[in-house]
Amino acid sequence: MVDRYVMSIDQGTTSTRCILFDHRGRLCSVAQREHQQHFPKPGWVEHDAVEIWRNVQRIVPEAMDSAGVDAGQIAAIGIANQRETTVLWDPRTGTPVGRAIVWQDTRTAPLVDALRDRPGDEFFLDRCGLPPSTYFSAPRIRWLFENVPGLEQRARDGEVLFGTVESWLIWNLTGGTDGGLHITDPTNASRTMLLNLRTLTWDPELLDFFGVPRDLLPEIRSSAESYGEARALLPGVRITAALGDQQAALFGQTCFSPGEAKCTYGTGSFLLMNTGTDLVRSRHGLLTTVAYRIAGQPTVYALEGPMAVTGSLVQWFRDRLGMINTAPEIETLARTVEDNGGCYIVPAFSGLFAPHWRSDARGVVVGLTSYITKGHLARAVLEATAWQTREVVDAMNADSGLALKQLKVDGGMTSDHLLMQMLADVLDVPVVRPLVAETVSLGAAYAAGLAVGYWSDLEVLRGNWHRAGQWLPDMDPERRAWEYESWQRAVQRSLDWVRPDGGPR
Amino acid sequence: MAGPVQSIERAAAILRLLAGGPRRLGLGEVASSLGLAKGTAHGILRTLQHVDFVEQDEATGKYQLGAALLHLGTSYLDVNELRSRSINWADALAARSGEAVRLGTPLEGQVLVVHHVFRPDDTLQTLDVGALLPLHASSLGKVLLAYGAATLDPPPEGLAAYTRHTLVDPEDLDRALAEIREQGWGAEVQEMSMGDAGIAAPIRGHGGLVVGAVCLSGPVERICDPRGRPLPALTALLREAARAISRDLGATRW
């Protein structure tokens, strides 16, 4: 019998990857291509959606060639994508309206500030589970309407389509201008600020509020179901999954039961906890989001704690301070000392994300004495990630009533053993790393494979998860408590730094 | 303690002089700048040229710093960097072989375990990172010895015998190391503890220098055939992973 594989396409912030997985969830081939980051103005971040589609057209055949397989051996295609990034395009020509506005882009800050004043956070939290933030898509659509002449009218006339990146790719894969499907899934839709979290339909009040015509938006399908066959690239192969990248990682880590959580450690870090079919409203500064919806089954929700600056603090330490040559060297430097020497770094570079959501905060280094060496600073850099995780976990436990029993980790920073041990120590739970590090791609593949029966059920997927490494807590409880209090005091000192008037020009 | 070696001091002065300006310097300029006899300066320059620390321009005969010197400071490979670069390959090796994977580098006459991936069967296992292994009785150590990445300094009482299979006779060990160089990988079969075996292959950094080794280990009956020879399917997977890590180290560092 010919081997069959599931293909995942992970469209990320800096690159797009195509990976083939086999029945046991093992990675069989990878092809990857980076795309250009455009920074036209301070705070603006854009991608060229056409370049991204072109990259997909290149990496798909590359991944197939390197594994030596043909389209007939692909059981299904699943897509994971950078979330919240906004693409508008003309369905008659397939041409995007300008460049895609990326999730990191902060051009909508003035609009968002106004929304937080009036109608206020509650109006939005009630409906979509998110407080207004530059992070989400709807304010970007509003911004485009106000800044691209004629766009709003074209949208009203049905001449423009909106999508996050998975919608754009699926539209292109399923025929584009010749009948391409305009669809999304609830994980992506739940990051727009336009989705009603209870009904999982576009919320008429929110659409009205942002002035977004219904026809602009994609149809919301399940995260795992047969959307249709590809007509470009792999004609006849079914596309059967779409998930936002962080939800895909939760799925790839097989966190299928309430209380199971994963954290992906990258430039920023994202901790998601499965809360089951209960929609848990956070009272402790977390986001309520959709974890996944498998066709024909109840929707599963998650609480999410995004931390803006974790790996990027190490990059700053390397590139801006020049303390180390490569990111992994931070571990070497941090191990030159026994402890932080009383020094703490709160990396509130653009304010604090979860659970504080304080845009008036800025970074601080506290506890400096003449005793402090760069080794202590390196330790404080790593500890900043550990303590930010602790704050998010505490909020999760409080909101969900489920005490975290272990933390599954993935992402680039998991190669840092000192950080992994710190996490186990400050969380007081085991930290485990899975054998497949590419959890985002794996999650999209799992969802796609489930939808076509390549894998029979969630239990089979659980059986594919294997522990590659584990760190156990080994910290004196009194010291843990004392250090946590010191961290919290350091956080207090980062608050209320930015002044509303911006200062003299 | 002996005093400074004069010729090394002079060689250092020549290197500093060549590093001091953008211009290539002739033999006469070097000699007169440092107050050396031309013959002395020439002898030192020729030696520095021999080890690639200095290059001589063919057309003008003038000297400049060599490429090897520029790479000297950056050829050091941080062990955490090595782990970070190899993590995906080591994971894939453990997934395909079903056995535990470790990476080792030489450290003061022993092998330092710098990375460890559990055997993917979800049994209770403990991370070995930071542990030290004997050079002559581990597959990682034998490979590091074979490729000159580590040197053995046997204690006066001789090499420790962990089992009756441990190679303690220097001649036996030398033969085994020659065989490792010949075949490109090495094994230890019940040489550290009865019932266990491991196979290792070298990891090369820039310029082909062996900087570490990667190994698979487990119960002898899973690593070897009934006659105690490592299974070819496992050695093939191992060597493929070692080559992939080496490519990654070489391809991206320069």
Side-chain angles (χ1 to χ4, degrees):
Chain A
M1 202 187 101
V2 184
D3 289 331
R4 282 165 67 82
Y5 304 87
V6 175
M7 173 180 288
S8 87
I9 297 171
D10 170 12
Q11 203 303 297
T13 307
T14 55
S15 71
T16 311
R17 278 118 78 74
C18 178
I19 300 186
L20 297 184
F21 290 97
D22 69 10
H23 237 281
R24 292 165 69 182
R26 295 183 305 196
L27 187 153
C28 296
S29 84
V30 191
Q32 172 169 354
R33 214 166 262 263
E34 294 196 354
H35 55 266
Q36 211 181 329
Q37 308 290 317
H38 299 272
F39 306 105
K41 289 184 186 180
W44 290 31
V45 188
E46 300 179 344
H47 292 159
D48 178 354
V50 172
E51 181 188 7
I52 287 173
W53 168 236
R54 225 174 16 237
N55 286 351
V56 170
Q57 291 172 288
R58 288 192 183 127
I59 59 175
V60 166
E62 275 171 32
M64 309 252 299
D65 285 352
S66 86
V69 305
D70 56 50
Q73 288 170 267
I74 305 297
I77 304 170
I79 297 174
N81 57 287
Q82 53 170 322
R83 305 177 300 174
E84 300 103 7
T85 296
T86 303
V87 191
L88 266 72
W89 70 96
D90 181 336
R92 287 168 313 175
T93 61
T95 312
V97 177
R99 292 200 197 109
I101 305 180
V102 180
W103 60 274
Q104 298 151 319
D105 189 294
T106 56
R107 75 183 66 179
T108 58
L111 173 61
V112 165
D113 285 345
L115 296 179
R116 297 196 76 168
D117 275 350
R118 208 167 52 87
D121 289 3
E122 284 307 311
F123 174 83
F124 299 99
L125 284 168
D126 247 18
R127 289 161 180 82
C128 64
L130 309 171
S133 160
T134 58
Y135 194 10
F136 308 117
S137 317
R140 298 200 175 103
I141 299 177
R142 195 64 239 153
W143 186 93
L144 285 165
F145 283 175
E146 281 161 19
N147 289 274
V148 180
L151 182 63
E152 186 159 13
Q153 191 53 49
R154 284 170 66 199
R156 300 209 173 284
D157 296 343
E159 291 171 10
V160 184
L161 300 179
F162 156 86
T164 35
V165 182
E166 85 295 349
S167 300
W168 164 248
L169 293 182
I170 292 171
W171 185 81
N172 277 290
L173 278 166
T174 54
T177 52
D178 186 15
L181 295 172
H182 185 218
I183 59 175
T184 185
D185 93 300
T187 67
N188 278 297
S190 72
R191 316 294 292 193
T192 54
M193 292 189 76
L194 296 172
L195 184 82
N196 186 299
L197 263 189
R198 254 182 304 264
T199 62
L200 295 195
T201 54
W202 300 120
D203 186 293
E205 280 183 288
L206 289 170
L207 296 194
D208 210 38
F209 184 85
F210 285 104
V212 173
R214 171 67 191 78
D215 287 348
L216 183 71
L217 301 176
E219 182 193 348
I220 301 166
R221 307 279 290 267
S222 290
S223 316
E225 72 168 82
S226 188
Y227 304 136
E229 288 182 359
R231 291 171 63 192
L233 267 176
L234 294 170
V237 179
R238 281 184 287 171
I239 303 168
T240 59
L243 287 159
D245 52 11
Q246 294 305 324
Q247 283 91 339
L250 187 73
F251 208 83
Q253 285 268 28
T254 67
C255 295
F256 301 135
S257 301
E260 289 189 300
K262 69 88 203 178
C263 192
T264 303
Y265 288 95
T267 308
S269 296
F270 300 85
L271 201 157
L272 275 79
M273 179 190 268
N274 184 320
T275 57
T277 50
D278 296 337
L279 201 172
V280 177
R281 303 275 181 194
S282 179
R283 281 164 291 111
H284 298 89
L286 302 172
L287 307 177
T288 306
T289 199
V290 177
Y292 55 88
R293 184 174 72 190
I294 298 171
Q297 297 181 24
T299 302
V300 174
Y301 292 92
L303 281 170
E304 171 173 333
M307 297 160 248
V309 179
T310 53
S312 54
L313 182 62
V314 177
Q315 288 164 6
W316 172 80
F317 198 66
R318 178 193 63 195
D319 301 335
R320 301 282 169 168
L321 299 191
M323 296 275 196
I324 45 177
N325 290 311
T326 67
E329 279 179 30
I330 187 128
E331 182 174 351
T332 311
L333 183 55
R335 283 188 190 277
T336 60
V337 292
E338 289 291 311
D339 55 34
N340 62 20
C343 176
Y344 299 82
I345 301 178
V346 181
F349 289 176
S350 46
L352 283 169
F353 272 32
H356 305 283
W357 301 102
R358 289 287 295 263
S359 56
D360 58 325
R362 282 299 176 271
V364 292
V365 183
V366 296
L368 289 179
T369 60
S370 53
Y371 170 75
I372 297 298
T373 65
K374 56 184 180 177
H376 296 116
L377 291 173
R379 228 166 230 271
V381 164
L382 293 177
E383 287 180 0
T385 294
W387 288 122
Q388 288 187 92
T389 307
R390 169 69 190 264
E391 290 183 321
V392 167
V393 166
D394 280 2
M396 293 255 168
N397 289 343
D399 271 338
S400 67
L402 304 162
L404 184 74
K405 291 190 191 64
Q406 69 167 2
L407 183 65
K408 292 176 167 181
V409 295
D410 53 76
M413 288 181 96
T414 54
S415 76
D416 192 313
H417 281 224
L418 182 59
L419 173 61
M420 294 301 109
Q421 185 59 52
M422 284 173 179
L423 281 170
D425 286 345
V426 309
L427 299 176
D428 200 20
V429 297
V431 169
V432 292
R433 179 177 87 78
L435 197 54
V436 177
E438 307 295 344
T439 52
V440 172
S441 295
L442 186 62
Y446 276 172
L450 267 183
V452 295
Y454 183 84
W455 288 292
S456 57
D457 55 36
L458 298 179
E459 280 319 301
V460 174
L461 300 181
R462 269 188 210 280
N464 277 346
W465 191 96
H466 295 297
R467 192 161 51 223
Q470 171 166 261
W471 294 266
L472 299 173
D474 179 26
M475 190 184 218
D476 173 56
E478 270 179 44
R479 193 170 147 236
R480 178 186 300 123
W482 196 87
E483 289 284 329
Y484 191 20
E485 203 190 317
S486 302
W487 164 261
Q488 289 168 318
R489 293 172 64 215
V491 169
Q492 287 306 315
R493 278 152 182 80
S494 76
L495 304 178
D496 196 21
W497 181 255
V498 178
R499 288 185 250 178
D501 61 6
R505 296 273 155 190
Chain B
M1 199 183 111
V5 178
Q6 192 187 40
S7 58
I8 293 182
E9 284 190 327
R10 286 174 170 173
I14 289 178
L15 293 174
R16 287 213 176 91
L17 182 70
L18 292 176
R23 211 163 54 85
R24 296 194 183 103
L25 299 175
L27 174 62
E29 290 170 287
V30 172
S32 58
S33 298
L34 298 173
L36 297 175
K38 264 194 178 179
T40 308
H42 187 235
I44 294 171
L45 279 165
R46 260 205 349 239
T47 309
L48 289 171
Q49 200 182 346
H50 177 70
V51 298
D52 296 328
F53 281 10
V54 157
E55 287 167 9
Q56 189 177 21
D57 186 74
E58 277 183 32
T60 61
K62 292 188 172 187
Y63 295 92
Q64 66 184 44
L65 291 185
L69 199 57
L70 300 177
H71 291 155
L72 201 57
T74 46
S75 62
Y76 159 76
L77 182 65
D78 183 275
V79 296
N80 295 310
E81 172 90 16
L82 175 60
R83 181 190 315 118
S84 170
R85 298 289 190 98
S86 60
I87 194 162
N88 279 339
W89 303 112
D91 281 352
L93 179 58
R96 302 205 160 276
S97 65
E99 303 298 341
V101 172
R102 288 177 180 77
L103 261 78
T105 55
L107 182 75
E108 295 166 358
Q110 291 179 291
V111 182
L112 173 70
V113 177
V114 299
H115 185 40
H116 176 191
V117 183
F118 290 167
R119 186 175 60 250
D121 61 4
D122 299 319
T123 55
L124 184 67
Q125 295 165 70
T126 313
L127 281 179
D128 260 359
V129 173
L132 293 166
L133 303 173
L135 282 170
H136 69 289
S138 64
S139 62
L140 290 171
K142 286 166 77 178
V143 164
L144 294 175
L145 283 175
Y147 291 93
T151 46
L152 197 58
D153 198 6
E157 69 274 16
L159 293 167
Y162 296 93
T163 70
R164 61 192 161 84
H165 299 291
T166 311
L167 300 180
V168 287
D169 177 349
E171 277 180 35
D172 289 347
L173 187 58
D174 277 346
R175 248 193 314 277
L177 299 183
E179 200 182 313
I180 290 172
R181 283 189 293 272
E182 184 87 7
Q183 64 190 14
W185 55 274
E188 66 84 8
V189 181
Q190 309 195 81
E191 291 163 47
M192 200 145 70
S193 71
M194 291 306 290
D196 293 329
I199 51 174
I203 297 171
R204 296 175 186 278
H206 175 70
L209 205 62
V210 171
V211 293
V214 53
C215 84
L216 279 178
S217 59
V220 63
E221 64 274 11
R222 293 168 55 138
I223 303 293
C224 300
D225 66 15
R227 297 173 59 187
R229 287 175 311 204
L231 298 168
L234 290 184
T235 53
L237 286 173
L238 172 75
R239 298 184 69 190
E240 198 184 309
R243 273 193 296 267
I245 298 168
S246 302
R247 262 200 308 274
D248 223 349
L249 291 175
T252 45
R253 276 186 83 74
W254 310 109

